[in-house]
Structures are given as structure tokens and as C-alpha cells.
Amino acid sequence: MKYRRFGKTNLHLSVFSLGTMRYLAGVENVQQTLQQAIALGINHIETARGYGKSEQYLGEALAQLTVGIALGLPIPRTKLHITTKIPPTPDAETMDRYINESLERLKLDYLDCLGIHGLNTWDHLEWVKAKGGCMQAVHKAVADGRVRHVGFSTHASVEVIQAAIDTDLFEFVNLHYYYFFQRNKAAIQRAFEKDMGVFIISPADKGGRLYTPPQTLKDLCHPFSPLELNYRFLLSDSRITTLSVGPANPDELTEPLRVADRDGTLTTEEITAFERLENHQTSVLGQEKCSQCYACLPCPENIKIPEVLRLRNLALAYDMTEYGQYRYQMFENAGHWFPGMKASRCTECGDCLPRCPEKLEIPALLQDAHERLNGSEGRRLWG
């Protein structure tokens, strides 16, 4: 396992962090998974107030550390770094109560890191900037020792993310960034310039459901697995500190951590695989390829055109239809976590057409995307 400095927190975190959103099978499963993670070198555990009973389960497992026992492994509390995330609140009193409740459930005296969870909108950003808002309680918790370091997690637009970074209120950021979604590249750079830790959210699942890749994608990535190649894309970027791995059980740690020691620059063979992916997408999509420039926005019907067409790109080029359906079905069902309307809302007003540098027939492509990707409604796992 490799370790990297988590920006200005000066914590040194394992390049893989144990995410606990999927801990739905009880305390015993959490204990076994935590034991395996520690044995493999993971020293950063991440949870959230909103992840069902995750804080409670994790707290019961972590309680053994107070007597110097980590599920049979002699590791002191000071060698583990614990993060929980709490949603932004418009007032300080609520945030203060939430912090105390999380500490109680986790059976901890302090949090190594507190993340403002889901700083997704301009309104959320105003809450954290407001005098007397939630950050007043966060600063109090830092001053009295309940919290050591403060950051934020986000599913926001890159503009909101960069604005949050520029407040200088935070020491780290948790965000989406993968080989198949590079929109937040500028935010990664801005965070790096601010000496912030960078935590990548769900690279296996949100990054393309790469644990169950279609055969076309497997063939294009050979001799690497798609999951391995995506991890290497991220680990080769020295601006990134750590990647989330969210196993449902101990066995699901095995495959991701095979690359935990490989954080150097991309090899010639890996670069060739990425070039093969790019060339194949260009060949298959031809003049229907959306370049993800975002010039088509805003849409009068609030359709997130680039995201819809990104999912269409992936479905057509790599047979990633299952992933595309999984993400597309979140539209209109996940609030500010995945904003935007489905492509069927397009009225063919034509506003987007003159703004598209590729001169794509956007209304027709939106209709095609909807027909390919629409299905049963999607929900967040813990929403």
C-alpha cells in the first residue's frame, strides 16, 4: 500500500480509503471488512451521517480500538484516520447537534476529518459562507478539539466546486473524477494549487460500474481490466491523494487493492490501452460524438445535455448501456445529488444548436439517448 500527503491536513493517507456506504449487513460484516482493510494497509475510513446505520456499525467496530485492539490487530486509534460527512445546514445550532450525534454514534472523542456532505448548489455554498451559518459550529468544533480537519464532498457543477475551493474554508475535497468523466479536471488543479487533499468518490461504481464491465470494454482494455486501468489513470495523477473503495464484504477488497502499490506514471502499455479506447470511441461515434465542452448549456428545459450525451457516447462506443441506464434513471429522482431533467423533456427549441462547435443534431441525439437509456426510476442507495 502506498501513502500520500492529504494536502494541508498533513495526514498521510493510504491511496485507497475504505468507504462505508454499502455497509448494510450489520456489525459483524463491518468488523470483518474493517479487519481486512487494516491488514491490507488502509488507514483511512470514511462514512457519513446519511449512510443508514453505517456510523453506528463502524462505531461499534472502532470501539475495540480504545483498548488497543483492532479486531485482533494491534493498532492504536492514532494510526487510523476517521472521516464522517454531515450535510450543510443554514444554521450553526443544527450543525453542532449533528457533529455531536455523529461522534456519539462513532464512539469517538474527535474526528480526524469532517466533510460538509453534498455541497452541491449555490444555495449550499451561501450557507457555508454565511455569518452564523453551519461553519460557525464547525469552527467551534475545531477549536474545542472535536474535529481536526474540515473539507467538503460534492456532486456539483465544476463552477460551484471551484467557488467552494476558493472560499479557503476547506482543507480537502471529495469529488467525482474518472477516466470516463474528466469534467472536474479544472477543480482537481484548483484544489492542488490550494494544497488541498483530493479524495475521489466511487471510481469503480460511479466511474462506470467497472466491476461488471461489458465484453467490448474488456476487450479494448486488455491486457488490463477496465477497473484496473481506471485506478491506474487516477493513481498516476500525483494531485490525487486517495480513492474510495466501498466493499459490501471483505472479499470485495481483493481486486481493487491489487494496484495499491502501483502509483507511478503510466506505462507504455497502459497509454496504448487508453489510446485504443479513444480511437475506438471516435471511430464508432463519428460525427455524433459529444466532446463534453458544455457550450450547449443552459437548456431552457434544464436538461443536462452534456451528461446525457456522455452516457450515450459510452453506451454506443463501449456497450456501457447498463451503466448509462443506471445513471440516466437518476435524473428527476435524486434531487440536487443528480440534477436535471430527462432528455424526453426536449421541446426542440433549438437554443443549443448554434452553440455546439461540433454542429451536432442535439434534439435527435437526446431522443435517441432517452430511447436507449430510459427505464425504471433510479434512487440513491441511502437517499
Side-chain angles (χ1 to χ4, degrees):
M1 178 68 67
K2 298 285 188 175
Y3 300 85
R4 291 181 177 178
R5 177 177 169 273
F6 197 37
K8 65 185 75 173
T9 72
N10 284 319
L11 299 174
H12 283 78
L13 303 187
S14 46
V15 294
F16 282 94
S17 293
L18 183 67
T20 63
M21 192 169 88
R22 296 175 67 204
Y23 281 164
L24 307 176
V27 176
E28 183 178 353
N29 181 56
V30 174
Q31 290 176 338
Q32 293 172 352
T33 306
L34 182 58
Q35 179 178 7
Q36 179 72 351
I38 292 170
L40 292 169
I42 289 178
N43 69 352
H44 180 221
I45 319 298
E46 193 229 26
T47 185
R49 174 184 174 84
Y51 290 174
K53 292 187 175 182
S54 176
E55 283 186 334
Q56 176 185 330
Y57 292 161
L58 183 58
E60 294 187 29
L62 289 171
Q64 298 184 51
L65 299 177
T66 63
V67 292
I69 300 173
L71 313 168
L73 299 172
I75 180 170
R77 163 73 177 93
T78 54
K79 296 296 184 181
L80 280 182
H81 306 304
I82 313 300
T83 295
T84 198
K85 305 188 297 297
I86 296 174
T89 64
D91 64 283
E93 182 180 355
T94 301
M95 176 59 73
D96 191 63
R97 175 166 55 86
Y98 284 174
I99 292 171
N100 288 333
E101 287 174 354
S102 286
L103 285 168
E104 183 177 354
R105 282 193 289 265
L106 288 163
K107 303 183 188 298
L108 296 176
D109 296 324
Y110 70 91
L111 296 166
D112 297 274
C113 297
L114 170 66
I116 303 300
H117 193 197
L119 205 167
N120 296 337
T121 70
W122 291 110
D123 285 343
H124 293 157
L125 186 57
E126 288 305 311
W127 290 358
V128 303
K129 291 165 60 178
K131 184 177 181 180
C134 58
M135 293 306 289
Q136 178 179 308
V138 172
H139 294 323
K140 176 186 173 185
V142 172
D144 64 29
R146 285 175 292 157
V147 172
R148 300 280 175 88
H149 304 286
V150 181
F152 71 99
S153 72
T154 181
H155 295 225
S157 68
V158 68
E159 293 82 10
V160 172
I161 298 172
Q162 289 177 306
I165 290 170
D166 285 343
T167 64
D168 293 323
L169 291 169
F170 304 108
E171 298 171 90
F172 64 88
V173 58
N174 301 8
L175 77 171
H176 295 280
Y177 178 72
Y178 325 109
Y179 174 70
F180 291 120
F181 177 77
Q182 298 182 37
R183 174 64 177 169
N184 288 333
K185 181 184 294 186
I188 297 276
Q189 180 60 25
R190 186 76 60 86
F192 175 74
E193 292 167 358
K194 294 279 188 176
D195 194 26
M196 293 174 66
V198 175
F199 178 110
I200 301 301
I201 300 170
S202 189
D205 186 63
K206 306 302 189 298
R209 281 201 165 177
L210 300 178
Y211 43 81
T212 54
Q215 189 62 47
T216 297
L217 186 59
K218 289 195 285 187
D219 291 345
L220 288 166
C221 292
H222 185 78
F224 311 100
S225 73
L227 184 61
E228 177 186 13
L229 208 56
N230 188 49
Y231 283 147
R232 285 288 296 127
F233 170 78
L234 296 169
L235 291 174
S236 68
D237 190 335
S238 61
R239 300 171 300 176
I240 294 169
T241 310
T242 186
L243 320 179
S244 175
V245 55
N249 56 65
D251 293 340
E252 291 187 3
L253 284 166
T254 303
E255 169 122 5
L257 298 195
R258 284 180 181 149
V259 298
D261 291 328
R262 292 165 49 200
D263 68 340
T265 57
L266 294 173
T267 66
T268 300
E269 196 171 23
E270 289 165 343
I271 292 170
T272 298
F274 285 122
E275 290 174 344
R276 189 162 55 243
L277 286 165
E278 288 296 317
N279 292 338
H280 184 78
Q281 183 181 84
T282 299
S283 173
V284 170
L285 292 170
Q287 295 182 348
E288 293 185 352
K289 179 183 177 182
C290 172
S291 66
Q292 298 291 286
C293 70
Y294 278 64
C296 55
L297 296 182
C299 168
E301 304 305 323
N302 195 29
I303 299 168
K304 294 296 184 279
I305 297 170
E307 179 62 9
V308 172
L309 297 188
R310 179 182 78 92
L311 299 175
R312 182 182 183 274
N313 283 354
L314 298 179
L316 281 163
Y318 308 124
D319 291 337
M320 294 172 68
T321 303
E322 181 181 340
Y323 168 70
Q325 291 173 341
Y326 156 57
R327 298 306 286 166
Y328 184 78
Q329 290 158 20
M330 302 295 284
F331 286 124
E332 305 184 27
N333 289 298
H336 60 76
W337 295 99
F338 201 80
M341 307 303 286
K342 290 187 175 181
S344 57
R345 305 284 185 175
C346 177
T347 62
E348 301 186 32
C349 69
D351 280 10
C352 55
L353 293 175
R355 297 198 295 263
C356 178
E358 279 88 26
K359 305 302 180 186
L360 298 177
E361 293 295 330
I362 293 175
L365 296 180
L366 290 176
Q367 180 181 348
D368 180 74
H370 182 75
E371 292 172 356
R372 291 175 184 276
L373 304 177
N374 194 42
S376 60
E377 294 183 354
R379 302 283 182 186
R380 290 185 58 79
L381 181 62
W382 51 272

